[in-house]
Amino acid sequence: MAYTVGQVAKVAGVTVRTLHHYDEIGLLSPSGRTSAGYRRYDDADLQRLQLVLYYRELGFPLEEITAIIDEPAANPAAHLRRQHELLTVRLRRLQEMVTAIEFAMEASKMNIQLTPEERFEVFGDVDPEEHQAEAERRWGDTDAYRESNRRVSRYTKDDWLRNKAENEDWGRRIVALMASGAPADSPEAMDLAEEHRQIISRWFYECSYEIQTGLADMYLADERFTASYEKIAPGLTVYLHEAIHANAISRA
């Protein structure tokens, strides 16, 4: 059966211009043309387009997709195996990111019972409820969110000041250790990574090693958290990320 370029575009969810471009670069040329010169695609063309779209979704550049599809040793089964492997890796990474986001409870300090003056004393010019609606939408149905919300709703100004002092003390010590040249997988760095986990568990919610490594990944993936740690000391985000992962592995 033959299909027009418009029909193929509609079925595949791409534009006619995209199909024209694929034809121009030799990535997907139609098997036939009408007497008037219009493109006509057959089932084999559609199968090739499906491969193109799979690899494009996986982030491959068009030139590389052409080389992969036209590889003489490749066959449909080989392409499926390759795509399965790539998608499995991608799904694992996405799941890690989902876990990190779900448990990024440090951004959900809700129901803080402080006056405006006390808030400024504790948090400076940072408003901990700035993203309250977003946090509740994303994490409101998780046990960690509910536990964190329950705890912080009862904290006084003195509680928050103790939390602030504890975090600042931890921050000074990990920055000093990093500046000393100690590697991120050193016993000292892993001890501070463990302390980081315990601070979260003590103040907000039970932070498992799985949750903590998810948070560490988010610190690198989310520019807001990266900026927060880099403000303390350049390079701290990566250093903490590596220390957390090393500590989790050592205690597995």
Side-chain angles (χ1 to χ4, degrees):
M1 184 174 179
Y3 307 88
T4 67
V5 66
Q7 290 173 324
V8 174
K10 183 176 181 179
V11 169
V14 298
T15 66
V16 170
R17 182 183 294 274
T18 294
L19 293 174
H20 287 175
H21 179 62
Y22 288 173
D23 185 10
E24 291 167 1
I25 65 176
L27 178 58
L28 177 68
S29 296
S31 298
R33 289 186 180 262
T34 67
S35 57
Y38 294 112
R39 297 171 174 83
R40 301 292 287 180
Y41 296 83
D42 62 17
D43 291 332
D45 296 329
L46 295 186
Q47 291 176 2
R48 182 179 175 93
L49 176 59
Q50 186 178 44
L51 288 176
V52 170
L53 297 180
Y54 278 149
Y55 283 116
R56 191 183 70 176
E57 179 66 23
L58 289 167
F60 284 82
L62 296 182
E63 295 81 0
E64 190 171 345
I65 293 175
T66 303
I68 292 172
I69 295 178
D70 291 337
E71 182 182 353
N75 55 51
H79 282 301
L80 287 174
R81 284 194 299 271
R82 179 180 176 86
Q83 290 159 7
H84 182 270
E85 292 170 359
L86 293 169
L87 284 169
T88 299
V89 172
R90 184 175 181 183
L91 283 171
R92 187 181 304 119
R93 176 56 182 161
L94 287 174
Q95 185 57 54
E96 291 173 354
M97 293 179 68
V98 168
T99 300
I101 291 172
E102 286 178 347
F103 294 104
M105 303 307 300
E106 290 166 307
S108 65
K109 298 170 183 175
M110 310 295 184
N111 296 330
I112 299 172
Q113 306 301 318
L114 300 176
T115 67
E117 293 77 13
E118 289 173 332
R119 284 172 182 257
F120 185 81
E121 183 179 353
V122 174
F123 301 110
D125 58 357
V126 176
D127 183 358
E129 294 184 350
E130 180 180 356
H131 303 292
Q132 178 171 345
E134 176 187 0
E136 186 170 3
R137 176 177 58 81
R138 288 187 174 185
W139 313 307
D141 61 348
T142 65
D143 291 338
Y145 178 94
R146 287 187 286 269
E147 176 62 16
S148 178
N149 204 23
R150 182 187 66 80
R151 293 191 197 181
V152 303
S153 67
R154 298 185 298 186
Y155 288 163
T156 66
K157 183 189 75 170
D158 288 340
D159 291 324
W160 286 114
L161 289 174
R162 284 196 300 272
N163 172 261
K164 180 181 180 182
E166 192 172 330
N167 277 287
E168 288 177 345
D169 175 64
W170 173 86
R172 283 191 294 269
R173 286 183 286 121
I174 194 170
V175 168
L177 183 65
M178 181 178 67
S180 74
D185 60 354
S186 66
E188 296 81 4
M190 288 192 290
D191 284 346
L192 285 170
E194 178 65 18
E195 187 176 335
H196 170 273
R197 187 183 71 85
Q198 292 175 0
I199 290 173
I200 296 174
S201 294
R202 187 160 54 252
W203 286 94
F204 302 109
Y205 54 89
E206 186 60 36
C207 183
S208 66
Y209 291 107
E210 180 182 3
I211 292 175
Q212 190 191 24
T213 54
L215 287 172
D217 292 340
M218 185 201 63
Y219 295 158
L220 288 180
D222 190 316
E223 61 183 12
R224 294 172 295 181
F225 283 91
T226 301
S228 177
Y229 281 106
E230 292 303 294
K231 186 177 180 180
I232 299 173
L236 180 58
T237 315
V238 171
Y239 189 81
L240 176 59
H241 174 273
E242 294 177 355
I244 287 174
H245 277 269
N247 183 58
I249 292 172
S250 72
R251 297 174 186 268

